[in-house]
Amino acid sequence: MLPDSPTGGPLDGVLVADFSRVLAGPYATMVLADLGATVIKVEGPGGDDTRTWKPPVRDDVATYYLSINRNKRSIVLDLKDPDDLADAKRLAARADVMIENMKPGGMVRFGLDHPSVAATNPSVVYCSISGFGTRGGAHLPGYDLLAQATSGLMSLTGDADGKPFRVGAAMFDVLTGLHAAVAILAALRHREATGEGQLLETNLLSTALACLVNQTEAYVGAGVVPQRMGNAHPSVFPYEPMPTADGELIVIAANDGQFRKLCTVLGDPAMAEDPRFATMSGRVEHRVEIKDRLLARLATRTTREWFQAITDVGIPCGPINSIEGGVELARELGLEPVATAADDAAVPTVRSPVDFSATPPTYRRSPPRLGADGDEVRAWLQNG
């Protein structure tokens, strides 16, 4: 392993050859890196696309790139150059995990596809990420916005009588990365038991359909095509933002007991006794009448006042924050949302959302400059 590689994390000793770029693949490899894997990020001469996605920036480095590349080493390899390709193949031959997200078939011409790599490294866990799979959608480029549109998510997002909207972050890229990381960990466990490597394939569209959960199941299970409902929920009411005397507040009553408590704290206990509203299906059916009564009560106090009163009785509610507000709320709640790498660059990034009692994630390296570790990695590949 490379010098100073040991991390003490649960994936200590696992070498990841990261031939991915943009978001889904780099997110997956950052998850592995946080857990102690040694990740070598292979970039072409121009670097990862996200290095150029500016603004915003920190010290002229795109924050998009910074968000998904900590704890990695960067080496620039031009796969069209014979010497660089030879180093790429050396890396693939040593890797425990290899991950790539070129268009399907794109690694074949370099001899870095799964069959070629497995021929010399049969125990490798090889993960390929695409936009729309390796069959009929192999020619389609993989961008999150396309997945949001084609999966149906955008048809569910926005006002009922308005235009479809994308979600404000590349959620299916992130979720595909998470699914890839989970699959890689499962495959490593299988390899530990059997010595066998394997090929893993995932794609944005399949992830999107899986992660639309109840909305997709409404169609495949009941033949119902869900439609846009603004901020309302098709099966739960109340479950949406509602205006108060000075703003808006998310108000949720996800079961009968919560609804009774909500009615009491709002000063309308009789509403909970109405047999029409006794069950969730009844409340969904009569949502307009119930909403009118809720709005009348919420208009009597401020968002902060209602937030305190409703939270005090154990009912879920909350203000609609900016990103700044979300980070500050996490700080107030002791969640320590920001992690700073323990190196000279000391770049702050968003902390891993999982706590481990024995083997916590570590933040050893700031996202690397392009090719920052090239000399060291080359020497290790050629002489190690």
Side-chain angles (χ1 to χ4, degrees):
M1 194 63 71
L2 285 163
D4 80 357
S5 290
T7 64
L11 296 184
D12 194 350
V14 173
L15 176 64
V16 179
D18 183 4
F19 286 80
S20 69
R21 60 200 188 283
V22 187
L23 181 48
Y27 193 93
T29 55
M30 186 176 74
V31 170
L32 302 177
D34 286 353
L35 297 178
T38 296
V39 176
I40 299 178
K41 182 178 179 66
V42 178
E43 301 182 72
D48 192 311
D49 288 358
T50 59
R51 290 184 182 274
T52 69
W53 289 5
K54 308 173 183 180
V57 299
R58 177 187 174 88
D59 298 330
D60 201 38
V61 180
T63 55
Y64 202 119
Y65 167 80
L66 294 177
S67 71
I68 47 177
N69 284 291
R70 69 173 168 237
N71 284 334
K72 303 178 187 180
R73 301 167 188 256
S74 171
I75 181 172
V76 174
L77 295 176
D78 182 351
L79 299 184
K80 297 178 182 178
D81 178 271
D83 292 335
D84 281 5
L85 181 57
D87 279 338
K89 290 182 177 180
R90 291 186 184 100
L91 175 59
R94 294 190 184 188
D96 298 293
V97 176
M98 181 164 168
I99 184 167
E100 59 89 14
N101 61 353
M102 283 193 178
K103 279 189 178 181
M107 297 294 267
V108 173
R109 63 188 175 121
F110 301 115
L112 290 169
D113 55 306
H114 175 254
S116 299
V117 173
T120 57
N121 184 2
S123 65
V124 71
V125 173
Y126 190 110
C127 181
S128 289
I129 298 174
S130 64
F132 295 88
T134 59
R135 301 179 183 90
H139 65 291
L140 299 174
Y143 284 87
D144 187 89
L145 180 57
L146 294 180
Q148 290 197 29
T150 57
S151 66
L153 174 63
M154 288 179 65
S155 76
L156 303 174
T157 308
D159 292 330
D161 56 352
K163 295 180 179 180
F165 277 88
R166 73 175 182 91
V167 177
M171 297 310 300
F172 291 143
D173 265 322
V174 172
L175 290 167
T176 301
L178 284 173
H179 278 77
V182 169
I184 288 167
L185 295 175
L188 286 172
R189 177 66 183 89
H190 173 77
R191 189 184 75 163
E192 181 182 295
T194 67
E196 298 174 349
Q198 62 181 299
L199 171 64
L200 311 173
E201 294 180 327
T202 188
N203 64 83
L204 299 185
L205 180 57
S206 293
T207 298
L209 295 176
C211 291
L212 286 172
V213 287
N214 60 300
Q215 301 286 23
T216 314
E217 184 62 23
Y219 173 68
V220 301
V224 174
V225 179
Q227 303 295 321
R228 283 192 299 282
M229 298 180 63
N231 288 312
H233 193 289
S235 308
V236 180
F237 184 84
Y239 193 96
E240 60 190 81
M242 295 186 182
T244 64
D246 68 344
E248 286 193 307
L249 185 72
I250 298 294
V251 179
I252 298 172
N255 57 52
D256 298 342
Q258 288 182 351
F259 183 67
R260 288 191 293 271
K261 286 185 179 181
L262 177 64
C263 292
T264 299
V265 73
L266 291 179
D268 189 359
M271 183 161 55
E273 303 304 320
D274 191 316
R276 296 173 299 168
F277 312 148
T279 64
M280 184 63 75
S281 59
R283 292 192 290 276
V284 170
E285 179 182 356
H286 296 282
R287 70 169 70 222
V288 173
E289 182 177 348
I290 296 173
K291 187 171 184 177
D292 287 344
R293 292 173 70 163
L294 293 176
L295 294 182
R297 297 304 307 154
L298 289 168
T300 63
R301 299 173 71 178
T302 67
T303 297
R304 179 172 289 278
E305 289 170 336
W306 279 126
F307 176 47
Q308 186 66 54
I310 296 173
T311 299
D312 282 349
V313 297
I315 303 302
C317 72
I320 301 174
N321 285 329
S322 64
I323 295 294
E324 178 184 18
V327 171
E328 293 308 315
L329 175 61
R331 283 196 171 111
E332 290 173 17
L333 298 177
L335 298 179
E336 300 180 3
V338 178
T340 301
D343 60 8
D344 291 341
V347 174
T349 54
V350 179
R351 182 180 296 276
S352 168
V354 182
D355 288 329
F356 290 63
S357 63
T359 55
T362 56
Y363 309 98
R364 310 174 301 279
R365 293 172 170 266
S366 295
R369 293 175 291 102
L370 179 60
D373 308 285
D375 291 343
E376 179 187 27
V377 174
R378 277 191 178 84
W380 172 73
L381 288 172
Q382 296 170 14
N383 304 313

